[in-house]
Amino acid sequence: MTDISKRPVTLITGFLGAGKTTLIQNLIAGVGEKILAVIVNEFGDVGVDGDLLKGCKADNCPAENIIELTNGCICCTVADDFIPTIETLMQWDPIPDHIVIETSGLALPKPLLQAFDWPSIRSKVTVDGVIALADVEAIANGRFASDPNKVEAQREADDSLDHDTPLSEVFEDQIACADMVLLTKSDLARPDAIIAAKSVILQISDRNIPIVEVTNGVIDPQIVLGLEVAAENDIEARRSHHDDHAEHDHDDFGSVVIDIPEVSDPLRLINAVRQLARDHKILRTKGFAVVSGKPMRLQLQGVGERVRHQFDQPWEPSVQKQGRLVLIAEQENLKPDIIREFILSELNPSDKS
């Protein structure tokens, strides 16, 4: 059993676009009167995920309980960001009953686990569990295959696939550190794809961890909160590609932030995002748009060419309406000026000549 004097912390990890924010939204709504604090670590300068969570406006997790860390990957800024944030939370009155951390899609959970041995916090918090989210479709498409022979076969069949990118190692490290894996977007996948995804995960993990299928992030909070694993105590059992490296470098990835004008046709924006994903191998797109004649903001969440959109909430009267997109890609594919010019020209076709 976990020491009751310590506050439980749940780490929510997973690749870009796996559905971490949606899961946390559902957890906030489903935990009843338990007071939550959520730490959101985003890759890029704009806190879209934090904005979404603050929009929940739940009594048990008000906006001030959503803390955004945007100075870089949380596993690389432990001393500057993470430790001071936990120390501050432990001084709140009341202290949150449970802390949930949403890591960036590029974060490695193991260095973060090691931070829980920091002298100033190790007697106050414990890692209740590490929950890794994995997109069924992404795994089934062979993007993170752990078998070198299968990787080589896929590479020979399709020259556009590159399985030696840092993405594969990030994914494998997240799975290897997890106490539970949630297979997301399973409603969009074929039964054989789900079987294939589970097989890949079991090959990666050295431990017998549960794998649960979820749709739209809906799951009973009792399944993922209250595991009482104390994960910081068995760090050595959670192997990592980076065990022999002192630092974890994200120079292979980058982001571009684009302020976009009010749009009259949302489909034009969505098609432009899909085109960018094809032409520049954009990994992740997220943001909001102002739509003419609509009192609500349009939320966009994209993984590659797959873009979901919905009117999520009214614009706050005190907030200036401004559309904004964050696009994340590997540095070699990220050309900010070209990407920005393309989006703006697609939204303003009269500017084309």
Side-chain angles (χ1 to χ4, degrees):
M1 296 289 290
T2 297
D3 185 341
I4 60 173
S5 67
K6 296 183 179 183
R7 282 300 192 270
V9 180
T10 296
L11 305 186
I12 308 292
T13 186
F15 187 63
L16 298 166
K20 299 186 296 295
T21 303
T22 302
L23 171 69
I24 295 175
Q25 286 176 315
N26 284 298
L27 293 178
I28 291 174
V31 294
E33 297 180 355
K34 182 178 291 187
I35 299 175
L36 297 184
V38 180
I39 299 174
V40 183
N41 178 218
E42 299 223 55
F43 187 81
D45 300 323
V46 179
V48 172
D49 292 345
D51 231 14
L52 289 172
L53 293 174
K54 289 176 182 177
C56 294
K57 298 181 179 178
D59 292 338
N60 65 320
C61 191
E64 58 266 27
N65 284 31
I66 311 294
I67 301 170
E68 298 174 84
L69 303 182
T70 59
N71 292 330
C73 175
I74 194 171
C75 63
C76 301
T77 60
V78 166
D80 295 331
D81 282 335
F82 173 68
I83 300 298
T85 298
I86 294 294
E87 291 173 335
T88 299
L89 285 175
M90 292 300 100
Q91 295 174 7
W92 282 11
D93 185 15
I95 298 174
D97 297 315
H98 202 114
I99 300 169
V100 176
I101 300 177
E102 177 188 349
T103 70
S104 80
L106 304 176
L108 301 176
K110 190 166 182 177
L112 188 55
L113 276 183
Q114 293 168 330
F116 281 83
D117 196 38
W118 199 272
S120 65
I121 67 170
R122 64 186 175 191
S123 64
K124 300 175 182 178
V125 292
T126 181
V127 182
D128 183 69
V130 180
I131 310 298
L133 276 65
D135 184 323
V136 172
E137 184 178 348
I139 304 171
N141 285 341
R143 298 176 193 170
F144 310 112
S146 57
D147 186 328
N149 294 327
K150 291 182 179 179
V151 172
E152 188 57 35
Q154 289 170 343
R155 181 178 286 154
E156 292 175 358
D158 186 347
D159 292 336
S160 68
L161 295 177
D162 183 359
H163 297 281
D164 285 334
T165 65
L167 300 180
S168 60
E169 291 189 2
V170 171
F171 175 77
E172 290 173 4
D173 280 9
Q174 290 172 348
I175 296 298
C177 197
D179 296 296
M180 178 182 295
V181 175
L182 304 185
L183 280 181
T184 62
K185 304 181 178 68
S186 55
D187 57 316
L188 304 177
R190 306 178 314 276
D192 61 321
I194 295 175
I195 293 173
K198 290 181 178 179
S199 176
V200 171
I201 291 170
L202 291 173
Q203 290 177 37
I204 293 173
S205 178
D206 289 334
R207 295 171 297 130
N208 185 23
I209 58 174
I211 302 173
V212 182
E213 297 173 35
V214 297
T215 300
N216 295 325
V218 177
I219 190 170
D220 187 335
Q222 296 181 83
I223 296 176
V224 295
L225 302 182
L227 299 183
E228 299 187 353
V229 171
E232 69 274 16
N233 292 334
D234 70 336
I235 292 178
E236 297 307 316
R238 301 161 191 259
R239 61 179 175 79
S240 164
H241 286 286
H242 301 267
D243 284 344
D244 297 325
H245 299 283
E247 297 182 354
H248 165 45
D249 194 351
H250 289 313
D251 289 343
D252 294 303
F253 303 93
S255 63
V256 56
V257 179
I258 306 174
D259 287 336
I260 57 175
E262 182 174 306
V263 299
S264 57
D265 181 4
L267 187 58
R268 184 183 294 276
L269 171 61
I270 293 164
N271 286 337
V273 169
R274 288 172 175 158
Q275 185 66 44
L276 277 176
R278 285 192 292 271
D279 294 347
H280 295 274
K281 297 182 180 178
I282 302 298
L283 300 171
R284 183 79 164 91
T285 304
K286 51 187 176 180
F288 307 106
V290 182
V291 180
S292 302
K294 299 291 185 180
M296 302 184 73
R297 68 182 187 183
L298 182 70
Q299 172 199 341
L300 282 83
Q301 294 280 4
V303 181
E305 295 182 43
R306 190 173 68 223
V307 181
R308 291 186 174 184
H309 61 285
Q310 64 177 353
F311 288 100
D312 68 330
Q313 67 181 52
W315 289 97
E316 295 286 349
S318 59
V319 175
Q320 181 181 1
K321 294 181 181 179
Q322 175 61 64
R324 183 165 293 166
L325 293 178
V326 180
L327 300 98
I328 302 172
E330 292 182 272
Q331 289 285 7
E332 62 181 359
N333 300 316
L334 198 66
K335 300 176 175 59
D337 292 341
I338 294 176
I339 290 173
R340 185 174 288 106
E341 181 180 354
F342 175 80
I343 281 285
L344 296 179
S345 65
E346 287 298 305
L347 297 182
N348 296 279
S350 59
D351 292 343
K352 295 182 178 181
S353 60

